[in-house]
Amino acid sequence: MKLRPAVMSPEAFRDFGDVITSHGRSPRLINAGTSQRFDDVAIPDLAEGMGRAAIHLFRTEGRTLPVHVDVMERHPLGSQAFQPLAAIRSLVVVAHGQPEEGAIHAFLTAPGQGWNLKRGIWHAPLIMLGPCEVLVIERAPAGDNLDLMTLSSPIEITL
Amino acid sequence: MKLRPAVMSPEAFRDFGDVITSHGRSPRLINAGTSQRFDDVAIPDLAEGMGRAAIHLFRTEGRTLPVHVDVMERHPLGSQAFQPLAAIRSLVVVAHGQPEEGAIHAFLTAPGQGWNLKRGIWHAPLIMLGPCEVLVIERAPAGDNLDLMTLSSPIEITL
């Protein structure tokens, strides 16, 4: 199966999670007017009472196109936010429901744009199109919070 | 009172919080070896059961030296993590206990380096040395989680 990514946007990504961006949002002024504050650019859902919020760094290789996806994963107990710390683009591959042909969508982010996956959304492991570090905000501990599925046929993603 | 910042490091900042960095940490490999994962680079302390984790963006002006600090604040109910999304340095001004002369310390971060303030640490409002957006991970709602104090004499921070 071949897939071309859509442009990442809050509207297109709504069913899967949040786009971490100030674009299109209304700020309020803080710190004596020296800062604008955009609240709740992502809504963590960390299964309160069952775990804790955790902040990790992932240091990833850069992938080159076409990218092949043959495994997808989901985290049933919590959301998972990704914020690249360099101006690198990502391919965010997610599924509506089960990860089956026709239900899988790919999004191309803007350089440095972050995103937050809703709890339980099937997704491909992190795909960055250049080497970078990515801040990850998720639920800990990881135990019992990872389901993996091998796809019956790999997906090839091209631009 | 005049203050010169120390270089931010995990050791120097230990009493106040975490430095968000992969430097000096041991990763483990994930995603078929394409990523290194550094767990718990910051430990959020969000007063579980009393609130929720929140992810915000602050868009800040760039400040120029010397910087004058005349107000400090603390968040009694939760930690507060800051991750700049551009290679800009920050001055992180914190106090050991009450924000009194002799108890106040300043740290100069590396460009793009993030940090996490422990719950209840008195600190100056965000000071970035160039304009940038900063990802903030803290407890919500903010209500009853902000104490402010006006210093009896302002602090001047120079390099």
Side-chain angles (χ1 to χ4, degrees), chain B residues 61-68 91 127-130 157-158:
Chain B
E61 290 178 7
R63 304 284 293 278
T64 50
L65 293 166
V67 168
H68 295 88
L91 283 176
I127 303 166
M128 299 302 301
L129 298 182
I157 301 166
T158 56

Side-chain angles (χ1 to χ4, degrees), chain A residues 1 3 5 7-8 17 22 26 42 67 73 84 87 100 104 106 119-120 126 134 141 147 152-153:
Chain A
M1 176 191 165
L3 197 59
V7 172
M8 176 68 100
S22 58
S26 297
V67 168
E73 61 185 60
E100 299 160 346
I104 298 176
R119 184 198 309 204
L126 185 61
V134 178
D147 295 332
S152 51
S153 64

Side-chain angles (χ1 to χ4, degrees), chain A residues 29-70:
Chain A
L29 287 176
I30 58 167
N31 295 351
T34 60
S35 293
Q36 297 174 290
R37 178 182 169 119
F38 301 84
D39 278 0
D40 295 315
V41 292
I43 305 292
D45 170 14
L46 304 172
E48 237 176 299
M50 303 170 61
R52 62 175 176 87
I55 300 177
H56 312 304
L57 276 173
F58 290 6
R59 182 192 291 158
T60 73
E61 291 177 8
R63 305 284 294 278
T64 49
L65 293 166
V67 168
H68 295 88
V69 171
D70 52 10

Side-chain angles (χ1 to χ4, degrees), chain B residues 87-156:
Chain B
I88 303 291
R89 292 182 191 270
S90 174
L91 283 176
V92 180
V93 181
V94 289
H96 256 129
Q98 290 299 302
E100 298 160 348
E101 194 161 333
I104 298 176
H105 300 263
F107 295 91
L108 180 67
T109 66
Q113 194 175 48
W115 65 99
N116 184 40
L117 295 174
K118 289 183 186 180
R119 184 199 308 206
I121 291 286
W122 284 101
H123 59 281
L126 185 61
I127 303 166
M128 299 302 301
L129 298 182
C132 76
E133 290 198 343
V134 178
L135 196 73
V136 175
I137 301 132
E138 63 176 18
R139 178 186 174 279
D144 298 330
N145 191 23
L146 175 62
D147 296 332
L148 285 169
M149 183 180 292
T150 301
L151 302 181
S152 51
S153 64
I155 301 162
E156 178 177 297

Side-chain angles (χ1 to χ4, degrees), chain A residues 1-151:
Chain A
M1 176 191 165
K2 292 199 180 190
L3 197 59
R4 286 175 194 275
V7 172
M8 176 68 100
S9 73
E11 297 69 29
F13 200 61
R14 181 184 298 131
D15 289 351
F16 309 107
D18 311 299
V19 180
I20 298 178
T21 178
S22 58
H23 186 73
R25 291 173 176 270
S26 297
R28 57 191 174 92
L29 287 176
I30 58 167
N31 295 351
T34 60
S35 293
Q36 297 174 290
R37 178 182 169 119
F38 301 84
D39 278 0
D40 295 315
V41 292
I43 305 292
D45 170 14
L46 304 172
E48 237 176 299
M50 303 170 61
R52 62 175 176 87
I55 300 177
H56 312 304
L57 276 173
F58 290 6
R59 182 192 291 158
T60 73
E61 291 177 8
R63 305 284 294 278
T64 49
L65 293 166
V67 168
H68 295 88
V69 171
D70 52 10
V71 170
M72 293 183 74
E73 61 185 60
R74 67 173 174 181
H75 309 293
L77 300 182
S79 59
Q80 191 178 35
F82 297 87
Q83 176 59 60
L85 302 185
I88 303 291
R89 293 181 190 271
S90 174
L91 282 177
V92 180
V93 181
V94 288
H96 256 129
Q98 291 298 302
E100 299 160 346
E101 194 161 333
I104 298 176
H105 301 261
F107 295 90
L108 180 67
T109 66
Q113 193 176 51
W115 66 98
N116 184 41
L117 294 175
K118 289 184 188 180
R119 184 198 309 204
I121 291 287
W122 284 100
H123 59 280
L126 185 61
I127 303 166
M128 299 302 300
L129 298 182
C132 76
E133 290 198 343
V134 178
L135 195 72
V136 175
I137 301 131
E138 63 176 19
R139 180 187 174 278
D144 297 330
N145 191 22
L146 176 62
D147 295 332
L148 285 169
M149 184 181 290
T150 301
L151 301 181

